[in-house]
Each structure stands twice: as C-alpha cells, then as structure tokens.
C-alpha cells in the first residue's frame, strides 16, 4: 500500500477508473529495487503509469516532459547523483523518496544543488518513506538483501568485533525494524532475552520509538498514518530472539517445499534461478557440451499452488503437481474434443453456426482458456522447480539426513552410527556432513570424548569438510549458558508412510523411487515455544526473565513485569542473526 501511494505522488490512489494514470519514470537504487521487485510486477508498475524504471547510477537520457519518482537510500553517492540530475535538468519534476530518513545536512545539499541549478520549483516533494525492509510474504519480511552480510549472524558474533562496529550493526537493524513499525502504524510491546544482541536491539528500538512519540507534532504514529486503526485496540507484541538460543535449526536439513527450495536452490527475494538440464541425450563424441539455459521463476503470493503447498512435505508436493497435471490434461482434451466435434480444424465458418447446441459448451471452454493457460504455466513452473529439488534430494540423500537429524534433535535411538553417515561417500556434500555433525554436537548433552572427537574429525576431513565451523561451535558451546540444558525439540520423529503409490506408478513425472515419504509431526521449535510463552503469558523458565519494554510508558524504567495480563492477538517475531524458513513454517503451523 505504501509503495503504491508513493508511486502515485504520495496521495492514495483513487479507486474510480477515470482515464489514464499520469505517465512517469521511476528511478531507484539497488535497495529500492529489492524492496519493489518482490511486491510489484512490471505489469503492475505499468498500470500505475510507470513507463520506465531505471537504476539511479545507470546512464539515463533526459526526458524533459516527464515527472520522475525517485526511491533511494539517502547515501552520499545517491545524493550526489540526484544533484547532478537536477543540474542536467533531466526531468520535468522530481519527487524524491528516501527509503530511510534523510539527515538534515544531506537535505541541505540537495536544496543547494536545486538553487544552483535553478530547479527549486521542479522539486515537487521530498519524502521519508520509512520502507527500509523487504516484504517477501504477507506475513514475512527481511531487513535487506544488498549488504545482508553486514547484519548476518557472523557479523554480530565475530570474536574480533569492535564496539563501534557492533553499534553500527545494531543501528542498521533498528532502523529497519523502526521502518517496519512506522509502516504498520503500531507501537509494539517489546520482549527480548537478556545479555544478547537481541537485548541491544530492544534497548535501541525502544529509545527510538520513545523519541519519536515524544515529539508529538512530528510523530510518525499519530494522525492519518497508513496503518491507523488497523491495530487500534490491541498493540502487537514484538519478540526479539537471539539466534544463539538455537543454532541447530538453521543447520537442519529441510523437508517442506519452500524451505527445501531455499536450502538447495538459488532462491532470493522470491525468485528461484534454475539451470535447465538439457536432458540425458548423449552428445556425439567431440561435440561441445550443450550450454545450460538459466531460467528464473517467481514464486509469489498470487501463485495458488505455491501458497497452498509451500509448507507441505516434499513427497506431498510431488503428488499434488502430478494431480494438477492430470486434471489439466483432462481439461485440455475436452477443449480439443469440442474443437473436433465442431470441425474447427480449419473448416469454414458456416459449419459452426449450425451446431448451436455445442456452442454453450464451446463458449465455456473458450472462456476458461486464459485460466487454463495460467494453470499450465504454474504446473510447468512447479514441475521444473520440484524436479530440480528432487535431483538434490536423491543425489545427496537429503531425506536420510533430514530423518537422522530429527532423531538426533529429539533424542531418539539412531538406527545407524553417525560415523557411517559421515563416511558414506554417496551421502551428501561435505557441507551436508558438517551440518549433520554440528547438529549432533550442539544437541548432545555431553560433548563427545576427545578420542571420539578425533575420530569424527578425521572422518570429516576425509570427506573433504572444512573444520572451521566445528572450532567455532566448540567455543560457542563452552560459552553459552544453553550448553547445560540443550534446547529440547520435542520428541516427534517423522513417520515414514511407505512410498506413495501414485508417485510410484510409472506414469508420474517424478521418479521418487528410494526417496522416503516422511511426514512431519507437529512440534514447536524453540523460537515458536518462546513466542507461545510470551503471547499467551505462560510462565516458563525459558522466558521468565525476558525484558519488557513499552515505548508508550513515560517512565523509561524497564520492568520485566508485563502490565498487560491479556494474551496478545498479534505478534512479530524477529531473530537477531537471521531466522529461516523452517522456523517460519513452524510458526505458521503453530498459528493454525
């Protein structure tokens, strides 16, 4: 909503469809591009009057009779380039939108350039949009994509980090979270774990919200803000969790569709990039190997199949794609059959008019054609994506890894020794083996003895693993208080259902032989459990000492005694150091 409003020169778009939109140019930087691209397609932009969308730092020609909407971060180089645009009189008028708030001094730089270029009247509006976060789903956002390594787990937990670097990282995270709440139009109640990076974020965010509320005239949370009234009765809960409370989950191999796509394919900002395999046909000797085509697909909220199945276990997805394909083929045959009854294989028009009783049938078939084509596009898309995922599962035995790790994490008996898994040359990449071993190391109540550890290390080395992560996790385990009581993951192990009959029959697109049909048992991961305790006001040693911040309270006193005794209706969970699709899916299942 906020983006559409911005593209409409910062007035809410009017509903009545009178005439054309105003044609305009959109100029963004990489940050702006990342925010817009998961949300608005090129077609949607065009419907809103955007004829051209260009990167700020590309060579742009002057288009003197068109207004330009800028959507950029207020960085030094961006500001310089905008001033240059003003001096070169590129556009008719300039609507400057900053993703994050611009400082006074930089605003003055633009003003000076505008005066110098005699273009003051052309700068129509300057806005801080507070949109410095990326929305990937209706219920999921990430902070950034461009320099995500700057706010990554590694950046925050580096042993040699300086205080100033840490401050910068925390400020970056807080800026994005602040933007998120401005856009939501709600002031959260903040809970966080003590003594962690999450606590630093909470303190800074509380301060920033507080300062904004104190300046009543310019507060971003009063008046006709976008989200006003959306959460008027109830304020949302913001749970800030530190990644260190649970390092096993992000290492865990995945089994649901979206998490698998993210884990094994190249999946960023809802777009998956695949290399098309050219099939198995043998190339004649001496011929150059065929070049692989790269294809990219957008997995969006409008993709019904994706929305329905992104949280399903993989074998179920394969089965559903197959079912969709069969129902599509039936429909397609029906259209063909009607055509042949009607003799429309290039017959003259006269024959058609006589067959009026079939007309109704044909009309319905023709009217469902666009729908049919869209269905076909989605089926092809998911056939390709699921096939690519399946290749990884089979070549790396990911089903075996997933099942084995679930057993480790739920302390079940293991049917096969860890050493065998690591030494099996056919199972997984060195990274897969390292992930498995780290999960074992993190989850075990007593660390393995030195003798055992040496044996594991040797096996890992022989498998080609880099042991640096193990060194880090060893130190981490020694440091964290959690080490005394490893996080419990419940005791549900996935149940193999026997393989799907349908997917096994030879007519299927997917050769699932040998892949275990594992079904997930519902259990809450640590992040979900923490949320559950805090939302439902349950007393639990895990969360009882979480700090409590209410930016609306005048006294800045931190009482960890929640004043609000009622359970919360809305919550935002943010993991400092990075969440993942497993946890996202787990939270969604918990809500259901």
């Amino acid at each position: 909503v906020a983006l559409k409003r911005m593209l409409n020169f910062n007035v809410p778009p009017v509903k009545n469809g009178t005439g054309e939109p105003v044609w305009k140019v959109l100029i963004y930087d990489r940050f702006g591009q990342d925010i817009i691209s998961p949300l608005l397609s090129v077609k949607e932009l065009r419907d809103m009057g955007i004829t051209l969308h260009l990167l700020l730092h590309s060579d742009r020609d002057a288009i003197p009779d068109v207004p330009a909407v800028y959507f950029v971060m207020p960085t030094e180089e961006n500001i310089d380039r905008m001033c240059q645009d003003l001096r070169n009189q590129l556009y008719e008028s300039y609507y400057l939108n900053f993703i994050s708030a611009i400082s006074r001094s930089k605003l003055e730089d633009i003003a000076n350039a505008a005066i110098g270029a005699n273009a003051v009247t052309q700068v129509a509006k300057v806005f801080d949009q507070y949109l410095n976060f990326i929305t990937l789903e209706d219920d999921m956002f990430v902070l950034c994509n461009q320099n995500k390594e700057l706010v990554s787990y590694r950046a925050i937990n580096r042993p040699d980090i300086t205080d100033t670097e840490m401050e910068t990282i925390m400020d970056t995270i807080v800026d994005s979270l602040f933007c998120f709440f401005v856009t939501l139009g709600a002031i959260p109640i903040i809970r966080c774990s003590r003594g962690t990076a999450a606590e630093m974020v909470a303190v800074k965010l509380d301060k920033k919200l507080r300062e904004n509320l104190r300046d009543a005239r310019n507060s971003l949370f009063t008046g006709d803000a976008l989200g006003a009234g959306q959460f008027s009765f109830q304020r949302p809960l913001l749970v800030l969790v530190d990644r260190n409370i649970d390092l096993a989950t992000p290492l865990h191999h995945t089994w649901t569709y979206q998490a698998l796509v993210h884990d094994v394919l190249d999946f960023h900002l809802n777009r998956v990039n695949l290399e098309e395999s050219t099939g198995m046909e043998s190339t004649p000797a001496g011929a150059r190997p065929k070049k692989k085509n790269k294809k990219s697909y957008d997995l969006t909220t409008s993709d019904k199949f994706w929305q329905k199945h992104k949280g399903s276990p993989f074998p179920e997805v394969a089965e559903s794609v197959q079912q969709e394909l069969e129902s599509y083929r039936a429909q397609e045959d029906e259209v063909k059959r009607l055509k042949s009854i009607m003799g429309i294989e290039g017959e003259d028009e006269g024959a058609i008019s006589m067959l009026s009783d079939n007309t109704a049938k044909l009309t319905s078939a023709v009217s469902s054609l666009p729908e049919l084509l869209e269905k076909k596009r989605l089926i092809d898309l998911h056939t390709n994506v699921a096939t690519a995922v399946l290749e990884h599962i089979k070549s790396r035995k990911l089903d075996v890894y997933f099942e084995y790790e679930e057993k480790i994490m739920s302390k079940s008996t293991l049917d096969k020794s860890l050493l065998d898994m690591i030494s099996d040359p056919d199972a997984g990449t060195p990274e897969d083996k390292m992930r498995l071993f780290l999960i074992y190391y993190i989850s075990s109540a007593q660390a393995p003895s030195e003798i055992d550890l040496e044996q594991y290390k040797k096996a890992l080395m022989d498998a080609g693993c880099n042991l640096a992560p193990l060194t880090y996790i060893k130190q981490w385990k020694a440091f964290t208080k959690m080490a005394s009581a490893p996080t419990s993951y419940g005791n549900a192990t996935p149940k193999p259902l026997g393989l799907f009959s349908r997917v096994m029959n030879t007519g299927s697109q997917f050769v699932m032989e040998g892949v275990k049909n594992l079904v997930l048992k519902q259990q809450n991961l640590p992040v979900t459990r923490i949320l559950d305790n805090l939302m439902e006001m349950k007393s639990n040693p895990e969360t009882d000492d979480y700090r409590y911040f209410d930016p609306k309270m005048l006294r800045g006193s931190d009482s960890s005694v929640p004043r609000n005794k009622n359970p919360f209706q809305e919550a935002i969970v943010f993991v400092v150091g990075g969440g993942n699709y497993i946890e996202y899916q787990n939270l969604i299942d918990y809500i259901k």
Side-chain angles (χ1 to χ4, degrees):
V1 172
L3 280 174
K4 287 184 169 167
R5 178 162 161 171
M6 172 187 88
L7 295 173
N8 202 38
F9 304 124
N10 286 301
V11 289
V14 192
K15 280 283 178 281
N16 62 358
T18 51
E20 297 282 280
V22 181
W23 299 112
K24 48 195 170 283
V25 190
L26 171 64
I27 315 277
Y28 45 49
D29 59 1
R30 294 250 175 251
F31 291 91
Q33 188 177 28
D34 288 344
I35 292 168
I36 293 172
S37 69
L39 291 173
L40 297 170
S41 64
V42 175
K43 181 188 176 306
E44 288 171 285
L45 289 174
R46 194 171 306 119
D47 292 342
M48 297 174 65
I50 306 284
T51 48
L52 271 179
H53 41 99
L54 305 162
L55 279 165
L56 177 65
H57 294 282
S58 58
D59 289 327
R60 290 173 281 112
D61 299 328
I63 313 177
D65 49 352
V66 170
V69 175
Y70 285 74
F71 184 51
V72 296
M73 286 293 264
T75 60
E76 209 61 61
E77 47 186 354
N78 283 352
I79 304 277
D80 290 348
R81 185 61 189 262
M82 290 162 100
C83 295
Q84 196 184 316
D85 288 356
L86 288 172
R87 282 193 290 273
N88 297 342
Q89 302 188 341
L90 286 191
Y91 307 109
E92 174 198 57
S93 55
Y94 303 84
Y95 292 80
L96 310 181
N97 297 281
F98 296 102
I99 297 171
S100 189
I102 184 172
S103 67
R104 176 76 201 224
S105 61
K106 286 185 178 146
L107 204 52
E108 286 169 4
D109 294 346
I110 299 179
N112 288 331
I115 292 168
N118 209 353
V120 178
T121 49
Q122 289 160 298
V123 178
K125 287 183 182 174
V126 182
F127 269 86
D128 287 332
Q129 289 292 350
Y130 294 101
L131 288 174
N132 191 13
F133 60 95
I134 299 173
T135 306
L136 294 178
E137 310 261 350
D138 292 346
D139 50 11
M140 186 175 80
F141 71 101
V142 292
L143 298 191
C144 58
N145 178 53
Q146 285 301 315
N147 336 2
K148 53 175 176 248
E149 63 286 345
L150 295 182
V151 292
S152 65
Y153 176 82
R154 182 173 173 274
I156 299 171
N157 292 279
R158 267 192 9 244
D160 56 348
I161 189 166
T162 63
D163 287 355
T164 43
E165 287 174 314
M166 191 63 169
E167 286 288 313
T168 313
I169 294 173
M170 294 297 123
D171 287 338
T172 311
I173 294 176
V174 167
D175 182 67
S176 283
L177 289 173
F178 180 75
C179 289
F180 176 82
F181 285 105
V182 172
T183 305
L184 199 62
I187 302 264
I189 283 172
I190 306 170
R191 302 294 305 265
C192 68
S193 48
R194 292 175 187 269
T196 58
E199 183 176 27
M200 298 168 73
V201 173
V203 171
K204 278 181 177 284
L205 182 60
D206 176 61
K207 181 164 173 266
K208 189 160 179 154
L209 288 165
R210 216 167 258 286
E211 282 168 2
N212 192 270
L213 286 170
R214 200 178 302 134
D215 178 5
R217 270 215 332 247
N218 297 315
S219 172
L220 296 158
F221 293 95
T222 47
D224 57 11
L226 281 171
Q230 226 179 344
F231 295 109
S232 46
F233 313 120
Q234 265 228 319
R235 291 168 52 198
L237 168 71
L238 168 63
V239 181
L240 289 167
V241 182
D242 197 275
R243 183 69 275 166
N244 282 315
I245 60 142
D246 168 21
L247 276 182
T249 304
L251 294 164
H252 187 17
H253 283 85
T254 54
W255 195 238
T256 56
Y257 193 24
Q258 184 174 31
L260 270 166
V261 168
H262 183 254
D263 190 1
V264 305
L265 304 178
D266 172 15
F267 181 58
H268 292 290
L269 300 182
N270 293 348
R271 169 169 292 177
V272 62
N273 296 305
L274 289 184
E275 287 195 339
E276 301 241 288
S277 48
T278 41
M280 300 313 282
E281 67 257 29
S282 53
T283 19
R288 284 209 314 244
K290 287 207 178 87
K291 204 170 135 301
K292 290 193 163 180
N293 305 343
K294 272 201 158 32
K295 287 207 80 161
S296 66
Y297 301 105
D298 289 318
L299 298 170
T300 59
T301 35
S302 58
D303 177 338
K304 291 199 183 65
F305 187 88
W306 178 244
Q307 285 313 312
K308 188 169 168 199
H309 292 293
K310 63 185 184 193
S312 310
F314 187 76
E316 225 173 90
V317 175
E319 188 182 32
S320 306
V321 174
Q322 187 59 31
Q323 277 171 340
E324 291 282 319
L325 193 62
E326 283 163 21
S327 86
Y328 167 76
R329 284 184 178 146
Q331 275 176 291
E332 196 182 39
D333 290 345
E334 176 65 1
V335 173
K336 284 188 185 141
R337 200 176 60 80
L338 280 166
K339 279 187 167 176
S340 64
I341 294 175
M342 314 281 294
I344 312 184
E345 261 80 21
E347 286 275 317
D348 61 336
E349 292 298 303
I352 296 177
S353 56
M354 297 174 358
L355 302 164
S356 58
D357 60 330
N358 272 320
T359 315
K361 272 192 189 171
L362 188 69
T363 318
S364 79
V366 169
S367 63
S368 62
L369 250 173
E371 221 174 290
L372 212 59
L373 291 172
E374 174 61 7
K375 200 167 175 184
K376 171 95 171 87
R377 184 184 73 80
L378 291 181
I379 292 168
D380 289 347
L381 184 161
H382 287 287
T383 304
N384 292 341
V385 173
T387 306
V389 171
L390 183 60
E391 279 169 17
H392 280 275
I393 292 177
K394 287 164 91 166
S395 66
R396 290 159 56 182
K397 298 196 179 166
L398 297 182
D399 50 337
V400 181
Y401 274 94
F402 168 73
E403 188 182 27
Y404 199 82
E405 289 164 359
E406 289 269 317
K407 284 182 178 162
I408 292 176
M409 288 160 81
S410 60
K411 313 262 184 290
S412 316
T413 43
L414 303 171
D415 48 353
K416 169 175 181 185
S417 89
L418 183 62
L419 214 50
D420 291 349
M421 285 281 291
I422 296 171
S423 326
D424 178 354
D426 297 330
T429 60
E431 190 182 87
D432 291 326
K433 297 180 184 205
M434 196 67 201
R435 281 164 67 175
L436 170 67
F437 185 69
L438 291 177
I439 289 174
Y440 164 72
Y441 193 88
I442 291 167
S443 309
S444 56
Q446 297 92 21
S449 68
E450 280 306 311
I451 307 164
D452 287 353
L453 195 58
E454 280 314 306
Q455 227 189 333
Y456 284 128
K457 274 184 166 171
K458 188 181 177 315
L460 288 164
M461 296 269 288
D462 292 347
C465 298
N466 168 5
L467 293 185
L470 179 58
T471 318
Y472 172 78
I473 291 289
K474 256 177 100 167
Q475 291 170 329
W476 172 83
K477 192 156 180 170
F479 279 133
T480 35
K481 300 193 283 289
M482 299 297 296
S484 53
T487 319
S488 92
Y489 292 92
N491 51 2
T493 47
K495 292 267 178 286
L497 275 187
L499 292 165
F500 274 130
S501 51
R502 169 153 256 126
V503 178
M504 284 305 289
N505 65 29
T506 43
S508 169
Q509 289 287 306
F510 301 98
V511 188
M512 298 285 284
E513 282 161 281
V515 174
K516 297 187 175 190
N517 177 19
L518 304 167
V519 174
L520 295 165
K521 277 184 69 179
Q522 179 50 34
Q523 73 210 29
N524 289 341
L525 292 174
V527 170
T528 309
R529 267 210 317 276
I530 290 169
L531 172 77
D532 180 52
N533 293 341
L534 296 173
M535 262 190 107
E536 304 296 334
M537 299 284 166
K538 297 178 181 169
S539 171
N540 189 306
E542 204 174 4
T543 48
D544 281 349
D545 70 333
Y546 268 49
R547 288 187 66 178
Y548 177 97
F549 295 90
D550 181 348
K552 279 193 175 175
M553 282 301 176
L554 290 171
R555 301 190 318 285
S557 67
D558 161 43
S559 66
S560 39
V561 185
R563 285 183 199 69
N564 175 353
K565 287 282 179 267
N566 301 332
F568 286 90
Q569 297 301 311
E570 275 104 16
I572 294 101
V573 181
F574 183 75
V575 183
V576 179
N580 53 63
Y581 281 112
I582 305 183
E583 288 167 332
Y584 168 60
Q585 194 51 52
N586 194 249
L587 284 165
I588 289 180
D589 294 340
Y590 156 77
I591 297 162
K592 285 184 187 155

